[in-house]
Amino acid sequence: MENIPSPIIIQEFITESGVSYSSLPLSFTLSGLPLYSAPIVLVNHALTGNAEVTGANGWWNDLIGEEKTIDTHKFTVLAFNVPGNGNDSFIIENYQDFTTRDIARIFIKGLELLNIHQLHTIIGGSVGGGIAWEILALEPHITQNLIPIATDWKSTDWMIANCYLQEQILNNSSKPIEDARIHAMLCYRSPESFKEKFQRTINANRPVFNIESWLAHHGEKLQKRYQLASYKLMNQLLKTIDITRNREDFETLLSKTDAAIHIIGINSDLFFIPKENRETFKELKKFKDNVSYSEIDSVHGHDAFLIEYKQLDHLLADIFKAETIEK
């Protein structure tokens, strides 16, 4: 079963910064077993992603589907579109009104309105994983498992710096989406990945390096399918991940949850660097037993969570392929 139901309308939402929105549409997809008949997995999309996690246009089809890691014969898979991500007609122009925590609050409200009180797993990569951390910090008993991939519970100075540069490009460039995407691809891959792929080769059709034509292609491709306001908003969310902002400290917040936390880093990630993931794991282990850390071994950098499916399948097998899955 797969369908795209009508959006939930979140009424009278006040952001962390105190801005009031009389209504926010929250669109979503459901796939797998019918709602309330099986354990529910909430999947959070990354920066240019959306709620189509599986099916004809699914961006995580290698991981989610019939007899895949997250088996749609065993689970109900729910994914929300971040309001303003451009996948419906709703656009947020004042992107600085919102933080990652606001989106987590909107998702929690969506779960309430769908009458969902318990999740089997919240999983997400990159900013989607940041939203997952924020959900757990707000609702420590909402899920049995948290799986943040290629992300962390806070944006580092390095992350904020890159998001600041993205914002400058998005606000000042004559080709904002294309130019921002070209810079972003340098964050999403790694020097080794480029070396392996391009070997300093020249494009056969025009006198440029293949790396240059590849970057230009990615910029043009995104420009055709993505909206400037959506990019600005999602970049703002990436910059504002921090479960401790104006709240208790990390240990106090995470001591409240019984959820198993399975952190997955990428050894070549230049964006959410694995050193931060290891430090997060080390901190958690001081006061929590059901925590694990594993690493994808890849030359491909941050984007490896969208590329290295076999490794991800192996790392997630114990969580999703247990012989008896509790409902």
Side-chain angles (χ1 to χ4, degrees):
M1 182 200 86
E2 186 168 352
N3 60 61
I4 302 176
S6 304
I8 299 163
I9 304 298
I10 309 292
Q11 309 275 10
E12 305 303 331
F13 184 80
I14 299 171
T15 69
E16 243 195 310
S17 57
V19 180
S20 182
Y21 281 77
S22 58
S23 71
L24 287 167
L26 179 61
S27 56
F28 62 98
T29 62
L30 282 169
S31 46
L33 296 177
L35 200 52
Y36 318 120
S37 72
I40 300 166
V41 178
L42 175 64
V43 182
N44 294 344
H45 68 78
L47 193 136
T48 61
N50 53 44
E52 289 187 71
V53 295
T54 187
N57 300 308
W59 55 265
W60 231 359
N61 270 331
D62 290 280
L63 200 72
I64 303 168
E66 294 177 7
E67 298 181 5
K68 301 281 176 67
T69 314
I70 302 175
D71 191 344
T72 46
H73 286 320
K74 295 179 181 174
F75 295 97
T76 304
V77 178
L78 167 66
F80 291 117
N81 279 306
V82 170
N85 79 340
N87 262 60
D88 42 39
S89 56
F90 182 69
I91 287 294
I92 290 167
E93 291 296 347
N94 298 329
Y95 62 95
Q96 290 174 325
D97 289 353
F98 287 84
T99 65
T100 324
R101 192 178 302 163
D102 287 320
I103 304 304
R105 289 170 55 221
I106 290 166
F107 283 13
I108 289 164
K109 191 70 189 159
L111 292 170
E112 282 173 20
L113 292 171
L114 287 170
N115 205 23
I116 296 168
H117 308 292
Q118 180 74 95
L119 298 165
H120 176 278
T121 297
I122 307 174
I123 185 170
S126 195
V127 68
I131 296 167
W133 273 112
E134 294 276 8
I135 291 172
L136 188 69
L138 288 164
E139 292 289 341
H141 306 299
I142 204 164
T143 188
Q144 293 167 256
N145 298 283
L146 177 79
I147 310 175
I149 305 172
T151 191
D152 198 20
W153 61 268
K154 83 285 187 193
S155 305
T156 59
D157 292 296
W158 174 248
M159 174 64 63
I160 293 162
N162 277 288
C163 290
Y164 175 69
L165 176 54
Q166 286 276 293
E167 190 175 21
Q168 293 298 306
I169 295 168
L170 291 168
N171 285 326
N172 300 317
S173 171
S174 59
K175 295 193 295 182
I177 293 175
E178 290 177 51
D179 290 346
R181 185 63 162 183
I182 287 168
H183 162 246
M185 293 310 294
L186 305 187
C187 300
Y188 300 159
R189 299 299 173 95
S190 72
E192 292 79 10
S193 179
F194 285 166
K195 182 178 181 179
E196 185 183 278
K197 190 174 179 68
F198 299 108
Q199 299 284 324
R200 298 183 296 112
T201 51
I202 307 287
N203 191 292
N205 301 316
R206 32 199 256 255
V208 297
F209 287 101
N210 275 317
I211 178 62
E212 293 176 306
S213 59
W214 182 83
L215 288 169
H217 165 73
H218 274 277
E220 288 159 13
K221 192 172 148 191
L222 189 68
Q223 198 277 326
K224 284 173 185 162
R225 74 170 179 89
Y226 209 53
Q227 287 156 299
L228 182 57
S230 303
Y231 202 150
K232 288 179 181 180
L233 172 71
M234 296 304 294
N235 183 62
Q236 164 76 1
L237 301 183
L238 201 46
K239 187 172 79 172
T240 55
I241 301 165
D242 183 359
I243 64 171
T244 62
R245 186 181 52 255
N246 304 324
R247 303 182 71 199
E248 302 106 320
D249 62 36
F250 181 75
E251 181 173 344
T252 308
L253 280 172
L254 273 304
S255 294
K256 296 174 186 176
T257 184
D258 294 327
I261 300 175
H262 311 275
I263 300 166
I264 298 177
I266 299 162
N267 65 346
S268 57
D269 197 334
L270 302 176
F271 210 37
F272 283 100
I273 61 171
K275 185 171 183 281
E276 296 288 333
N277 292 138
R278 292 182 209 123
E279 284 175 12
T280 295
F281 172 66
K282 210 162 124 189
E283 282 304 302
L284 279 168
K285 282 302 284 180
K286 288 178 184 173
F287 59 88
K288 195 166 165 51
D289 292 328
N290 54 346
V291 188
S292 68
Y293 175 66
S294 46
E295 224 166 70
I296 294 169
D297 177 20
S298 174
V299 300
H300 295 303
H302 182 67
D303 268 359
F305 80 93
L306 299 168
I307 297 168
E308 306 284 2
Y309 295 111
K310 285 182 181 171
Q311 287 191 57
L312 254 186
D313 177 66
H314 175 70
L315 296 177
L316 298 175
D318 287 349
I319 304 160
F320 291 106
K321 295 183 179 176
E323 282 177 37
T324 52
I325 297 170
E326 288 177 34
K327 285 195 182 178

